[in-house]
Amino acid sequence: FDRGRQEKTQWTFAVPATAKITEGKKSISLVDVTVGTKVMVRYTKDGETMNAATIKVMPAKADSTKK
């Protein structure tokens, strides 16, 4: 895994009811995470299925074009 690469990759995870989903220090629900939101996922693999254990919503980058 090369942390320096900036290409966009889409992965699909199963999200069990036990998954912990956070935004900052606040717990949120999966329905609060919108399409296109950048997240960090810690997961376990069960055969071919990747099961999310934790989902952390990443802060949005500031738009440098705004003044």
Side-chain angles (χ1 to χ4, degrees), residues 22-26 56-57:
T22 59
E23 184 171 17
K25 294 185 179 190
K26 181 176 76 169
K56 179 180 177 182
V57 174

Side-chain angles (χ1 to χ4, degrees), residues 15-50:
V15 183
T18 56
K20 181 178 177 184
I21 307 168
T22 59
E23 184 171 17
K25 294 185 179 190
K26 181 176 76 169
S27 290
I28 62 172
S29 172
L30 184 59
V31 297
D32 298 322
V33 182
T34 57
V35 173
T37 301
K38 290 186 180 186
V39 297
M40 181 184 339
V41 180
R42 291 186 185 250
Y43 65 94
T44 58
K45 199 163 183 184
D46 182 17
E48 293 297 312
T49 304
M50 294 184 294

